[in-house]
Amino acid sequence: MDAVLRGAVIYLFLTVIFRVAGKRALSQITTFDLVLLLIISETTQQALLGEDFSVTAALLLILTLVGLDIAFALWKGRSARLDRLIDSVPVLLVENGQPLKDRMDRAQVDEDDVLSSARKSQGLERLDQIKYAILERDGSISVIPQDPGG
Amino acid sequence: MTKARIEQEFDFQRREWRVERIGWGVIWLLLALALAGLFGGGPLSRTSVSSGDLTLDFPRFERETRPTELEVSLPLSPDGQGQVWIANDTLERLQVQEITPPPMRIQNGPKRTEYLFRGEGDELRVTFDVEFQRAGVLRGHLGQVGGLGLNFSALVYP
């Protein structure tokens, strides 16, 4: 019982804390983000296991985390509200080459981030070549280029 | 791959989805059983046995190396003494970490180890903090020195 409860508490806590941290935080954009994630996982491991080093406890913890994940995925499929609550919504950042400054500030994204994504995914050089740049729910930025003709 | 071929393969995917659904059910069932204590540490996992005035509260489902307790209660003699023995082959399978209250004396015999306690009132409650050392079914014996003994068994998960 304790293993399952510990697993559930940690799962819910991490869900909330990463949600509050925002889409862009810890999305592994810098080496430091990666290191921070590693430290968090190390710390979490201690809390999950406690003094119980049995194989059964490890299996139960895995079952708890995966089981909750499946349950939430199913629930999110049924409820658009919960889906938004947990996974957030995509945000339009650039429209027809015009950065939407206010939103970008709030989302902690600057023009360099958008241009970096544009270079990597589309090979674009300038902001005016971008039709739409969208901050996706997972924190990545997707870029749609301007139509070549128009 | 042609479309016909892909559609053929789709049957496999359909079976896979079915198995997935069953798997989810199994996961949640196991979690419910775990919450109930079937794998140690829950309402289902503890039980008690008694023989005469001697009572033992112990985990019947437990996990290897997880700290747990054996709680023994027995009547005190008129001079305020109580003596408990645990069979040595039982002690081989569980490591005693702490005993509350601490025993006045521990005496190792060839077959069993005796613990002498002093208390007040007419009943003595002793808690043995233990860890089960090996997975499998543990058949344990303990008792009151000069009195009744009892058997208990616990399923220890690895």
Tab-separated table of all heavy atoms in Angstrom, chain A residues 59-91:
chain	number	residue	atom	x	y	z
A	59	LEU	N	8.488	-3.042	-8.494
A	59	LEU	CA	7.450	-3.393	-9.474
A	59	LEU	C	6.169	-2.606	-9.202
A	59	LEU	O	5.529	-2.093	-10.123
A	59	LEU	CB	7.162	-4.899	-9.440
A	59	LEU	CG	8.338	-5.822	-9.763
A	59	LEU	CD1	7.893	-7.284	-9.775
A	59	LEU	CD2	8.944	-5.471	-11.111
A	60	LEU	N	5.810	-2.513	-7.913
A	60	LEU	CA	4.576	-1.789	-7.561
A	60	LEU	C	4.678	-0.317	-7.944
A	60	LEU	O	3.709	0.280	-8.430
A	60	LEU	CB	4.295	-1.914	-6.065
A	60	LEU	CG	3.760	-3.267	-5.607
A	60	LEU	CD1	3.584	-3.286	-4.105
A	60	LEU	CD2	2.445	-3.587	-6.297
A	61	LEU	N	5.859	0.261	-7.726
A	61	LEU	CA	6.042	1.676	-8.080
A	61	LEU	C	5.889	1.891	-9.576
A	61	LEU	O	5.229	2.833	-10.015
A	61	LEU	CB	7.425	2.149	-7.634
A	61	LEU	CG	7.513	2.543	-6.177
A	61	LEU	CD1	8.955	2.746	-5.762
A	61	LEU	CD2	6.721	3.824	-5.956
A	62	ILE	N	6.498	0.989	-10.349
A	62	ILE	CA	6.387	1.114	-11.804
A	62	ILE	C	4.921	0.979	-12.220
A	62	ILE	O	4.413	1.774	-13.020
A	62	ILE	CB	7.262	0.048	-12.500
A	62	ILE	CG1	8.736	0.323	-12.195
A	62	ILE	CG2	7.021	0.035	-13.994
A	62	ILE	CD1	9.668	-0.798	-12.583
A	63	LEU	N	4.246	-0.009	-11.623
A	63	LEU	CA	2.822	-0.198	-11.935
A	63	LEU	C	2.029	1.063	-11.595
A	63	LEU	O	1.142	1.479	-12.353
A	63	LEU	CB	2.252	-1.365	-11.135
A	63	LEU	CG	2.459	-2.772	-11.670
A	63	LEU	CD1	1.715	-3.767	-10.804
A	63	LEU	CD2	1.992	-2.885	-13.104
A	64	THR	N	2.346	1.666	-10.453
A	64	THR	CA	1.613	2.856	-10.027
A	64	THR	C	1.801	3.996	-11.026
A	64	THR	O	0.832	4.629	-11.466
A	64	THR	CB	2.116	3.332	-8.655
A	64	THR	OG1	2.057	2.241	-7.749
A	64	THR	CG2	1.279	4.475	-8.129
A	65	LEU	N	3.057	4.250	-11.380
A	65	LEU	CA	3.337	5.382	-12.268
A	65	LEU	C	2.712	5.152	-13.643
A	65	LEU	O	2.045	6.035	-14.195
A	65	LEU	CB	4.853	5.594	-12.381
A	65	LEU	CG	5.544	5.947	-11.048
A	65	LEU	CD1	7.049	5.990	-11.216
A	65	LEU	CD2	5.033	7.276	-10.517
A	66	VAL	N	2.907	3.937	-14.181
A	66	VAL	CA	2.355	3.653	-15.510
A	66	VAL	C	0.829	3.623	-15.462
A	66	VAL	O	0.150	4.174	-16.337
A	66	VAL	CB	2.925	2.315	-16.046
A	66	VAL	CG1	2.256	1.929	-17.352
A	66	VAL	CG2	4.416	2.425	-16.252
A	67	GLY	N	0.298	3.005	-14.390
A	67	GLY	CA	-1.157	2.908	-14.257
A	67	GLY	C	-1.810	4.285	-14.190
A	67	GLY	O	-2.820	4.537	-14.856
A	68	LEU	N	-1.196	5.183	-13.410
A	68	LEU	CA	-1.745	6.541	-13.321
A	68	LEU	C	-1.648	7.263	-14.658
A	68	LEU	O	-2.556	7.994	-15.055
A	68	LEU	CB	-0.970	7.351	-12.268
A	68	LEU	CG	-1.458	7.210	-10.835
A	68	LEU	CD1	-0.530	7.970	-9.904
A	68	LEU	CD2	-2.870	7.747	-10.712
A	69	ASP	N	-0.535	7.024	-15.342
A	69	ASP	CA	-0.341	7.671	-16.633
A	69	ASP	C	-1.412	7.226	-17.627
A	69	ASP	O	-1.990	8.056	-18.343
A	69	ASP	CB	1.054	7.319	-17.156
A	69	ASP	CG	1.683	8.477	-17.883
A	69	ASP	OD1	1.595	9.606	-17.353
A	69	ASP	OD2	2.225	8.272	-18.975
A	70	ILE	N	-1.685	5.926	-17.652
A	70	ILE	CA	-2.724	5.412	-18.556
A	70	ILE	C	-4.077	5.994	-18.162
A	70	ILE	O	-4.851	6.463	-19.008
A	70	ILE	CB	-2.789	3.871	-18.501
A	70	ILE	CG1	-1.464	3.263	-18.955
A	70	ILE	CG2	-3.919	3.353	-19.376
A	70	ILE	CD1	-1.368	1.777	-18.700
A	71	ALA	N	-4.341	5.982	-16.852
A	71	ALA	CA	-5.633	6.476	-16.380
A	71	ALA	C	-5.826	7.943	-16.771
A	71	ALA	O	-6.896	8.332	-17.261
A	71	ALA	CB	-5.732	6.316	-14.866
A	72	PHE	N	-4.765	8.749	-16.574
A	72	PHE	CA	-4.877	10.170	-16.923
A	72	PHE	C	-5.030	10.351	-18.428
A	72	PHE	O	-5.778	11.224	-18.882
A	72	PHE	CB	-3.663	10.952	-16.407
A	72	PHE	CG	-3.862	11.481	-15.026
A	72	PHE	CD1	-3.162	10.973	-13.949
A	72	PHE	CD2	-4.795	12.488	-14.796
A	72	PHE	CE1	-3.363	11.454	-12.678
A	72	PHE	CE2	-4.994	12.978	-13.520
A	72	PHE	CZ	-4.278	12.456	-12.457
A	73	ALA	N	-4.317	9.520	-19.210
A	73	ALA	CA	-4.421	9.640	-20.667
A	73	ALA	C	-5.865	9.363	-21.101
A	73	ALA	O	-6.428	10.081	-21.935
A	73	ALA	CB	-3.456	8.675	-21.339
A	74	LEU	N	-6.464	8.321	-20.514
A	74	LEU	CA	-7.853	7.982	-20.865
A	74	LEU	C	-8.794	9.107	-20.434
A	74	LEU	O	-9.696	9.507	-21.180
A	74	LEU	CB	-8.270	6.680	-20.172
A	74	LEU	CG	-7.670	5.400	-20.744
A	74	LEU	CD1	-8.130	4.212	-19.932
A	74	LEU	CD2	-8.071	5.227	-22.187
A	75	TRP	N	-8.547	9.618	-19.252
A	75	TRP	CA	-9.414	10.660	-18.694
A	75	TRP	C	-9.301	11.937	-19.538
A	75	TRP	O	-10.293	12.611	-19.829
A	75	TRP	CB	-9.005	10.910	-17.231
A	75	TRP	CG	-9.962	11.715	-16.433
A	75	TRP	CD1	-11.189	12.181	-16.846
A	75	TRP	CD2	-9.787	12.161	-15.091
A	75	TRP	NE1	-11.774	12.887	-15.835
A	75	TRP	CE2	-10.932	12.898	-14.754
A	75	TRP	CE3	-8.769	12.011	-14.143
A	75	TRP	CZ2	-11.092	13.481	-13.501
A	75	TRP	CZ3	-8.932	12.594	-12.908
A	75	TRP	CH2	-10.094	13.312	-12.594
A	76	LYS	N	-8.054	12.237	-19.947
A	76	LYS	CA	-7.843	13.423	-20.774
A	76	LYS	C	-8.577	13.294	-22.107
A	76	LYS	O	-9.064	14.277	-22.654
A	76	LYS	CB	-6.348	13.645	-21.026
A	76	LYS	CG	-5.627	14.259	-19.851
A	76	LYS	CD	-4.205	14.638	-20.222
A	76	LYS	CE	-3.290	13.447	-20.266
A	76	LYS	NZ	-1.879	13.798	-20.392
A	77	GLY	N	-8.626	12.046	-22.605
A	77	GLY	CA	-9.334	11.802	-23.865
A	77	GLY	C	-10.817	12.100	-23.740
A	77	GLY	O	-11.473	12.477	-24.713
A	78	ARG	N	-11.349	11.933	-22.534
A	78	ARG	CA	-12.782	12.153	-22.331
A	78	ARG	C	-13.096	13.600	-21.976
A	78	ARG	O	-14.176	14.086	-22.265
A	78	ARG	CB	-13.271	11.271	-21.176
A	78	ARG	CG	-13.060	9.814	-21.460
A	78	ARG	CD	-14.334	9.035	-21.345
A	78	ARG	NE	-14.098	7.694	-21.888
A	78	ARG	CZ	-13.938	6.633	-21.143
A	78	ARG	NH1	-14.036	6.723	-19.853
A	78	ARG	NH2	-13.723	5.463	-21.696
A	79	SER	N	-12.132	14.254	-21.283
A	79	SER	CA	-12.445	15.583	-20.770
A	79	SER	C	-11.469	16.614	-21.330
A	79	SER	O	-10.285	16.597	-21.026
A	79	SER	CB	-12.377	15.554	-19.236
A	79	SER	OG	-12.056	16.830	-18.739
A	80	ALA	N	-11.975	17.494	-22.163
A	80	ALA	CA	-11.131	18.528	-22.764
A	80	ALA	C	-10.588	19.456	-21.687
A	80	ALA	O	-9.482	19.972	-21.784
A	80	ALA	CB	-11.922	19.329	-23.789
A	81	ARG	N	-11.385	19.632	-20.629
A	81	ARG	CA	-10.956	20.513	-19.545
A	81	ARG	C	-9.715	19.977	-18.848
A	81	ARG	O	-8.756	20.694	-18.611
A	81	ARG	CB	-12.091	20.660	-18.529
A	81	ARG	CG	-12.585	22.095	-18.417
A	81	ARG	CD	-13.665	22.209	-17.384
A	81	ARG	NE	-13.125	22.517	-16.076
A	81	ARG	CZ	-13.790	22.306	-14.937
A	81	ARG	NH1	-14.988	21.765	-14.971
A	81	ARG	NH2	-13.262	22.626	-13.792
A	82	LEU	N	-9.771	18.673	-18.529
A	82	LEU	CA	-8.614	18.068	-17.855
A	82	LEU	C	-7.398	18.073	-18.781
A	82	LEU	O	-6.275	18.294	-18.349
A	82	LEU	CB	-8.948	16.639	-17.426
A	82	LEU	CG	-7.837	15.978	-16.620
A	82	LEU	CD1	-7.877	16.447	-15.183
A	82	LEU	CD2	-7.929	14.473	-16.678
A	83	ASP	N	-7.650	17.838	-20.056
A	83	ASP	CA	-6.583	17.833	-21.044
A	83	ASP	C	-5.848	19.169	-21.021
A	83	ASP	O	-4.624	19.233	-20.985
A	83	ASP	CB	-7.192	17.581	-22.426
A	83	ASP	CG	-6.123	17.206	-23.434
A	83	ASP	OD1	-5.074	16.694	-22.993
A	83	ASP	OD2	-6.334	17.436	-24.629
A	84	ARG	N	-6.616	20.268	-21.009
A	84	ARG	CA	-6.031	21.603	-20.957
A	84	ARG	C	-5.294	21.824	-19.649
A	84	ARG	O	-4.219	22.388	-19.601
A	84	ARG	CB	-7.127	22.663	-21.094
A	84	ARG	CG	-7.548	22.950	-22.505
A	84	ARG	CD	-8.169	24.325	-22.586
A	84	ARG	NE	-9.175	24.526	-21.555
A	84	ARG	CZ	-10.494	24.438	-21.742
A	84	ARG	NH1	-10.955	24.162	-22.927
A	84	ARG	NH2	-11.332	24.626	-20.757
A	85	LEU	N	-5.939	21.350	-18.587
A	85	LEU	CA	-5.383	21.545	-17.254
A	85	LEU	C	-4.011	20.893	-17.126
A	85	LEU	O	-3.085	21.456	-16.546
A	85	LEU	CB	-6.339	20.946	-16.223
A	85	LEU	CG	-6.266	21.497	-14.816
A	85	LEU	CD1	-6.654	22.955	-14.811
A	85	LEU	CD2	-7.196	20.696	-13.912
A	86	ILE	N	-3.874	19.689	-17.688
A	86	ILE	CA	-2.622	18.954	-17.529
A	86	ILE	C	-1.628	19.285	-18.630
A	86	ILE	O	-0.450	19.500	-18.370
A	86	ILE	CB	-2.894	17.436	-17.477
A	86	ILE	CG1	-3.651	17.100	-16.202
A	86	ILE	CG2	-1.588	16.657	-17.533
A	86	ILE	CD1	-3.963	15.658	-16.032
A	87	ASP	N	-2.097	19.312	-19.854
A	87	ASP	CA	-1.169	19.466	-20.975
A	87	ASP	C	-1.163	20.857	-21.574
A	87	ASP	O	-0.437	21.114	-22.525
A	87	ASP	CB	-1.504	18.452	-22.072
A	87	ASP	CG	-1.008	17.081	-21.691
A	87	ASP	OD1	-0.169	17.004	-20.783
A	87	ASP	OD2	-1.464	16.094	-22.289
A	88	SER	N	-1.992	21.747	-21.075
A	88	SER	CA	-2.043	23.118	-21.565
A	88	SER	C	-2.527	23.200	-23.019
A	88	SER	O	-3.068	22.227	-23.541
A	88	SER	CB	-0.665	23.755	-21.408
A	88	SER	OG	-0.715	25.097	-21.785
A	89	VAL	N	-2.318	24.363	-23.626
A	89	VAL	CA	-2.790	24.591	-25.009
A	89	VAL	C	-1.644	25.179	-25.829
A	89	VAL	O	-0.732	25.775	-25.282
A	89	VAL	CB	-3.979	25.585	-25.020
A	89	VAL	CG1	-5.223	24.952	-24.454
A	89	VAL	CG2	-3.642	26.849	-24.250
A	90	PRO	N	-1.680	24.988	-27.161
A	90	PRO	CA	-0.665	25.625	-27.996
A	90	PRO	C	-0.892	27.140	-28.069
A	90	PRO	O	-2.028	27.602	-27.919
A	90	PRO	CB	-0.865	24.990	-29.375
A	90	PRO	CG	-2.102	24.193	-29.318
A	90	PRO	CD	-2.626	24.176	-27.936
A	91	VAL	N	0.211	27.887	-28.258
A	91	VAL	CA	0.100	29.351	-28.316
A	91	VAL	C	0.756	29.868	-29.594
A	91	VAL	O	1.887	29.498	-29.905
A	91	VAL	CB	0.824	30.006	-27.109
A	91	VAL	CG1	0.664	31.521	-27.153
A	91	VAL	CG2	0.298	29.450	-25.805
